[in-house]
Amino acid sequence: MLSTKKIVITAVCIVALTVGIFGGRYIISVEKYKKTIKEIKIGTVDLSKISDGTYTGSFDAVYIAAKVSVTVKDNKITNIVLLNHKNERGKPAEVIPEKVVEAQSLQVDTISGATNSSKVILKSIENALESAKS
């Protein structure tokens, strides 16, 4: 009887320890995600300084990530292809590339309900355009 009690207590301790470890890791990753999203700042890019070409950019915010291909011709963004979009409920933000091409600017409204995905996609586009300057 005593050995059965020790086995149960040991099993409960192992389960509690495992839950604590995985729960702690999850909480840390959620905090990192929130911090990353909060710190996203979308700048302006001077298209007159971007040479014709196709540029790739990406941004990873733990739970949301995006990779884009941006084509520039005659100092205008002519096409943006969303190559990859890891998201939770952010699928509606996939219209952001069209809005950027239409506005010829990164200063477009985010999509309500998909704000974080919108920011990540915009940052990916900015990173692609910034890579063109190098």
Side-chain angles (χ1 to χ4, degrees):
M1 185 68 175
L2 185 58
S3 65
T4 303
K5 189 174 181 180
K6 283 183 181 182
I7 291 170
V8 169
I9 290 172
T10 301
V12 168
C13 288
I14 291 171
V15 168
L17 183 61
T18 302
V19 168
I21 290 170
F22 284 106
R25 290 178 70 186
Y26 175 74
I27 289 169
I28 290 168
S29 70
V30 167
E31 290 304 314
K32 181 179 177 188
Y33 164 72
K34 287 180 183 179
K35 182 177 186 248
T36 302
I37 292 294
K38 185 178 179 182
E39 291 177 351
I40 293 175
K41 303 289 184 241
I42 307 300
T44 57
V45 177
D46 184 354
L47 292 172
S48 70
K49 296 183 179 178
I50 307 286
S51 300
D52 289 356
T54 300
Y55 307 97
T56 303
S58 61
F59 190 76
D60 189 343
V62 183
Y63 295 111
I64 300 171
K67 183 175 183 181
V68 297
S69 173
V70 181
T71 302
V72 175
K73 182 161 176 57
D74 299 325
N75 304 112
K76 292 186 188 279
I77 300 169
T78 58
N79 192 32
I80 300 173
V81 177
L82 186 57
L83 301 171
N84 185 23
H85 181 211
K86 177 177 87 171
N87 66 80
E88 293 172 325
R89 297 179 307 268
K91 188 136 177 85
E94 293 180 1
V95 300
I96 290 292
E98 295 169 33
K99 292 177 127 202
V100 170
V101 171
E102 185 178 303
Q104 291 296 301
S105 170
L106 297 173
Q107 307 309 310
V108 297
D109 291 336
T110 58
I111 305 302
S112 180
T115 304
N116 293 349
S117 279
S118 297
K119 289 179 177 181
V120 168
I121 293 170
L122 285 167
K123 194 64 177 178
S124 297
I125 296 167
E126 179 183 14
N127 289 344
L129 294 170
E130 289 293 330
S131 76
K133 293 180 179 179
S134 305

